[in-house]
Amino acid sequence: MANANLLAILVAAAAGFLVGGIWYGPLFGKAWMNENGFTEEELKKANMLKIYGLTFAFSVLLAVFLGHLLAAVQAGTRATMMISTGIALGYIAPAIGTNYLFSRKSGKLFAIDAGYWVVFYAAMGLVFVFLGS
């Protein structure tokens, strides 16, 4: 892991975290809540410090592994974006889709959640393009 760029990892994690705030806030928050059957009152009762804290920690972990992978393969701009979005499209979206099929969740919820991960990884990829991996 010594070959990974720590600043880029932290900025990439923050970028992914920011994408989540926008994605599940003004862009698709209401639709996501509706598809999950959540109400505003239920969400207000959640331990937000725990949720946001662990979410950011997971974002850092994902950025560490992506940064390490990109550094190991010495990916250029095109390869960085292909690898970043490819992880979401080739691994995460199918895994979510499989879970949602067995959980009988809606296609709309799948599109919201899988789309988030594609944009999340694309944002992290862009950070690694500009700051290096």
Side-chain angles (χ1 to χ4, degrees):
M1 296 280 197
N3 60 344
N5 179 340
L6 183 58
L7 175 63
I9 287 168
L10 293 175
V11 174
F17 189 78
L18 179 63
V19 165
I22 295 167
W23 195 265
Y24 290 106
L27 288 181
F28 300 106
K30 298 279 187 204
W32 178 83
M33 284 176 48
N34 186 48
E35 291 300 307
N36 278 298
F38 293 141
T39 65
E40 296 271 348
E41 294 78 34
E42 287 175 313
L43 293 181
K44 288 179 184 175
K45 293 178 186 175
N47 183 343
M48 299 313 282
L49 181 61
K50 175 183 174 183
I51 292 170
Y52 286 121
L54 286 173
T55 297
F56 186 72
F58 291 145
S59 294
V60 171
L61 183 63
L62 293 168
V64 164
F65 279 92
L66 179 60
H68 180 66
L69 172 64
L70 295 171
V73 300
Q74 298 178 355
T77 299
R78 183 172 185 271
T80 293
M81 294 310 297
M82 289 182 69
I83 290 167
S84 299
T85 56
I87 288 170
L89 290 168
Y91 293 98
I92 294 175
I96 291 171
T98 299
N99 287 347
Y100 283 19
L101 286 170
F102 281 97
S103 300
R104 278 114 178 132
K105 293 187 178 182
S106 73
K108 184 175 182 179
L109 184 60
F110 169 75
I112 292 169
D113 289 340
Y116 158 70
W117 286 107
V118 172
V119 176
F120 175 98
Y121 268 94
M124 288 201 311
L126 284 171
V127 169
F128 286 117
V129 164
F130 288 109
L131 297 181
S133 51

